[in-house]
Structure formats: C-alpha cells, structure tokens
Amino acid sequence: MEIKKYIIGAMCLIGALNINAQTAKEVLDKTASTVAAKSGAQANFTISGQSMNATGTIAIKGKKFHATTPQATIWFDGKTQWTYMKNNDEVNIANPTESQLAAINPYNFIYMYKNGYNYTMEKKGGNFIVHLTASGKKPIQEMYLTIGQKSYTPSQVRYKTAKGWTTIDIRNFKAAKLADNMFRFNSKDFPKAEVIDLR
C-alpha cells in the first residue's frame, strides 16, 4: 500500500513538473511572438554585470537589432555586427556568438530558448518569472526572465556565463515600423572612422 502511494505521489509530481514546463514554454512562445513583431519594436535598457555597465536604447526587428549607448553604436543584420566606438572613431566588424549577442541584445533569448534549455516558472506579483537552465554545454548556462503577465513583454533579463551574472533591465517597450537599412552600418555616415574586420 505504501509503495502504491509513493508511485502515485511520484507520478503526480512528474505531471506537475511537466505542466509547469509546458506553461513556461507557452509563456516564452507568446513573449517571442510579441517581441519579434514583423514591423519591429523599440525600448530603453540598462546593463549591469561583470563585463559591461551601460544605459541605452535598442531597436529590434526579427533577429536584427540596433543599439546605442553613450560609448558605442551597434548594428546587427542577423549575421554581421558592426560596433562603432565613439572614443576612438573605430568600427569593428564581426560575426558574433550567442553569448556576445546576449551581452548587448536583451531580446536574444527569444531565439536561444528553443534549443538546449529546460524551463521552470513561477508567478510573482504581475509577472511570470521563467528560469532557463542549459541542458548541455552552452555559453549562457542559466537565465531568469521577468515577463509581464498581461503584456508578455520582458522587464528584466538576468543571465549567467563563465564570467558571472549580467542583468539587463528593459523599459518603455513599444512596437514600431522600422526600415531594414537601420540594422546595417553605413560608412557614408562615418567617413573618417577606421574599419577593422574581425571576421
């Protein structure tokens, strides 16, 4: 009888975990759909962590983004990233890794969560708190997302790499109609900048 109770209890626990994981997946899917609007979106952000402390604005359209901080301007067209450093009038060109993209684009999680991560979730106040953990070797080992229950937009992304934890706070998210050329560096706008290709 005791064994039967144990088995039933274990099955209920596994069922609850599966429901929680499925619910987290649904929340992430809805958030990804909201954030990745076809026309684009804009927001303000603040990054604090081991490797960077900055405040700025970001525009996104699918996997593309354009971010501006007092120190730098970054363009990413889905493959190539251009980083203009204001203090030395220099542009670095690179094909960034997943962790490099996450370091400046708080919305990169809408693509990375689909492969190689497990999810759990809890509700706190008016938010979902989704916890992602890597199921294998990943540059980003762990992540917490704070997502509005009504808006399905994130207000905070907190993630862990080998260097430690980084927190990105997001404000003033809104949909916008953005042209594709906004996400590519135009050398005509920076005629004196030194261009360094790191690809």
Side-chain angles (χ1 to χ4, degrees):
M1 188 69 178
E2 289 298 323
I3 293 174
K4 187 176 180 180
K5 284 182 180 179
Y6 175 79
I7 292 171
I8 291 171
M11 289 176 68
C12 288
L13 178 61
I14 292 168
L17 289 172
N18 286 337
I19 290 169
N20 192 41
Q22 183 181 10
T23 303
K25 174 72 162 53
E26 289 174 355
V27 168
L28 288 169
D29 286 344
K30 288 182 181 179
T31 302
S33 179
T34 300
V35 171
K38 289 183 179 179
S39 60
Q42 296 176 319
N44 301 99
F45 68 89
T46 300
I47 297 176
S48 57
Q50 298 291 323
S51 59
M52 182 183 297
N53 288 280
T55 297
T57 59
I58 189 165
I60 60 170
K61 188 177 183 181
K63 290 189 176 182
K64 304 170 187 176
F65 73 89
H66 175 248
T68 303
T69 72
Q71 297 81 22
T73 302
I74 300 172
W75 300 259
F76 180 67
D77 67 358
K79 179 182 178 181
T80 303
Q81 179 175 296
W82 297 262
T83 303
Y84 173 69
M85 304 303 296
K86 297 178 182 179
N87 64 341
N88 57 7
D89 202 20
E90 179 181 290
V91 178
N92 292 322
I93 306 174
N95 293 329
T97 64
E98 183 179 277
S99 59
Q100 288 170 336
L101 286 172
I104 191 63
N105 180 7
Y107 298 109
N108 193 54
F109 75 86
I110 66 175
Y111 301 102
M112 57 175 278
Y113 81 89
K114 296 178 182 180
N115 293 296
Y117 287 91
N118 299 314
Y119 333 105
T120 58
M121 187 180 72
E122 64 175 328
K123 293 181 180 179
K124 189 174 181 180
N127 296 310
F128 299 109
I129 309 296
V130 182
H131 183 201
L132 281 69
T133 53
S135 55
K137 283 191 173 182
K138 288 276 190 180
I140 294 177
Q141 304 156 6
E142 196 174 354
M143 179 178 287
Y144 287 92
L145 305 170
T146 303
I147 299 167
Q149 290 184 31
K150 293 182 179 179
S151 65
Y152 287 97
T153 59
S155 58
Q156 187 179 86
V157 177
R158 186 168 173 261
Y159 65 88
K160 183 183 181 183
T161 66
K163 294 181 179 180
W165 286 94
T166 298
T167 301
I168 307 178
D169 292 303
I170 307 162
R171 306 174 303 282
N172 305 323
F173 177 89
K174 61 181 180 181
K177 290 184 178 181
L178 305 174
D180 288 335
N181 62 7
M182 181 179 188
F183 306 99
R184 291 184 62 85
F185 172 75
N186 188 342
S187 59
K188 292 179 181 178
D189 296 332
F190 303 87
K192 296 181 180 180
E194 180 184 1
V195 178
I196 302 173
D197 197 330
L198 302 174
R199 291 173 292 183

